Amino acid sequence: MTIMREIDMESEFSRFQNFIKDKAPHTIKSYLQNYKKVRDKVGKELCDVPLEDLVLDIGQMSDSYASQKAFANVWSLCNYKMQGRETHPAYIKYYTYLEGKIEEQLRAKHKELKSDIIPMKTLIEHENKMYKDEQFQKYVACFIVRNCFCRNKDLDITLTNIPESVNDYENFLVVYDNKVTVIRQDYKTSKVYKKIETIFTDKKFLNACNKLSMNKKLFNGADTTAKLQNRLKNALYTNEVQYLNTKIDEISRTGDLKELKRVSELRGTGLEQLITSYNLDF
């Protein structure tokens, strides 16, 4: 594989960076990483790579059709949208093929996960044990993930009992006398869904929050994503995706579409994404 130098791709890469500059930070990061991976593989600007060559190259880069789709997407940006050209029917056909393969992989994955679903009762029992054992930090983390359906990043959150200390860009647990407000402003899809506020009046949750140090992070010292992930491995019953799978599995059995919409709004994830990626009966 040719090692790509910044100077080699300066012209197209600079245009590509400018073209995606208004997207969400995590999307920009993903696009740039995928661009560089494909550029390393093909050894030239993506606008100089024919579709038939791209198909062969990205097929060698990953067995995951989702990854292949992501690689194909950056190629299409460089060949169509950035140049003001209409998308070629051959690319549309290829993209549709990848989406079909992704659905096949999702169905196989869901079938495997379905056999290992964690009952909601088990998650709640785990929380109760954390509370009884006075492991309040873990209890609060589990409670938030189960009731806000959020991602790990959302738990980079500060506890405070001073509402005036809340700013406009971080995550906060604001503890009042009779309620706790969970404010999420720094999360994966915040550019789309903006600030999400969730109010809880649960007495155990309120009491657990009051047992923790105020004006500090829930996981104090977890100043990097990696450190936060490690803390959460020890705090949560399982990973945050399985919490969400449990909830979506519950909804698929009850058929409660209002509850599905509520999960979508609280998590900051589109309904289609919830159905295709987390509905284990999909």
Side-chain angles (χ1 to χ4, degrees), residues 15 19 76-88:
R15 296 196 306 273
F19 187 79
S76 72
L77 289 178
C78 295
N79 280 272
Y80 303 123
K81 292 186 179 180
M82 281 171 53
Q83 298 190 39
R85 296 167 51 199
E86 287 191 15
T87 305
H88 195 281

Side-chain angles (χ1 to χ4, degrees), residues 99-273:
E99 288 189 321
K101 288 296 185 181
I102 290 170
E103 183 174 322
E104 287 180 16
Q105 289 185 331
L106 274 174
R107 288 182 184 277
K109 177 183 177 183
H110 288 178
K111 185 177 180 180
E112 180 181 343
L113 289 172
K114 183 71 175 179
S115 63
D116 195 33
I117 196 74
I118 300 169
M120 187 66 72
K121 180 182 177 182
T122 301
L123 297 177
I124 294 172
E125 286 175 348
H126 174 72
E127 287 175 25
N128 290 336
K129 184 178 186 307
M130 294 297 98
Y131 187 88
K132 183 178 179 180
D133 293 344
E134 298 187 355
Q135 297 184 38
F136 298 118
Q137 181 192 51
K138 293 182 179 181
Y139 172 83
V140 168
C142 291
F143 185 95
I144 293 173
V145 171
R146 183 174 63 82
N147 289 281
C148 293
F149 321 108
C150 62
R151 305 169 185 85
N152 287 347
K153 179 176 173 57
D154 302 41
L155 290 180
D156 181 12
I157 194 166
T158 299
L159 285 93
T160 182
N161 52 9
I162 306 173
E164 294 76 18
S165 67
V166 174
N167 59 42
D168 296 327
Y169 53 89
E170 293 179 299
N171 301 325
F172 290 91
L173 271 171
V174 187
V175 183
Y176 297 90
D177 290 338
N178 58 356
K179 67 179 181 180
V180 178
T181 301
V182 179
I183 299 174
R184 288 176 287 146
Q185 304 175 108
D186 180 20
Y187 61 99
K188 185 178 180 181
T189 55
S190 60
K191 278 203 168 184
V192 176
Y193 292 92
K194 310 303 180 184
K195 178 167 71 173
I196 299 176
E197 289 192 38
T198 315
I199 297 173
F200 295 105
T201 57
D202 182 274
K203 291 182 180 179
K204 286 169 65 175
F205 183 59
L206 176 60
N207 184 57
C209 289
N210 274 310
K211 296 291 185 180
L212 300 175
S213 298
M214 292 294 146
N215 303 310
K216 289 185 178 180
K217 297 272 189 177
L218 176 61
F219 293 95
N220 200 37
D223 51 1
T224 66
T225 301
K227 285 183 179 180
L228 178 60
Q229 298 284 16
N230 286 333
R231 296 286 185 90
L232 292 175
K233 283 181 181 178
N234 294 321
L236 301 179
Y237 182 86
T238 180
N239 64 68
E240 51 92 8
V241 172
Q242 286 195 288
Y243 275 83
L244 184 58
N245 281 339
T246 294
K247 182 62 179 180
I248 300 299
D249 181 65
E250 185 180 74
I251 292 173
S252 71
R253 286 185 280 104
T254 62
D256 190 343
L257 296 182
K258 287 185 178 180
E259 184 68 1
L260 183 64
K261 185 174 183 294
R262 188 175 78 89
V263 172
S264 170
E265 292 170 347
L266 282 173
R267 180 175 172 84
T269 299
L271 285 170
E272 182 179 351
Q273 178 72 10

Side-chain angles (χ1 to χ4, degrees), residues 59-86:
Q60 296 171 359
M61 290 173 65
S62 175
D63 293 331
S64 164
Y65 288 106
S67 294
Q68 291 182 32
K69 179 182 172 183
F71 296 146
N73 192 36
V74 297
W75 177 90
S76 72
L77 289 178
C78 295
N79 280 272
Y80 303 123
K81 292 186 179 180
M82 281 171 53
Q83 298 190 39
R85 296 167 51 199
E86 287 191 15

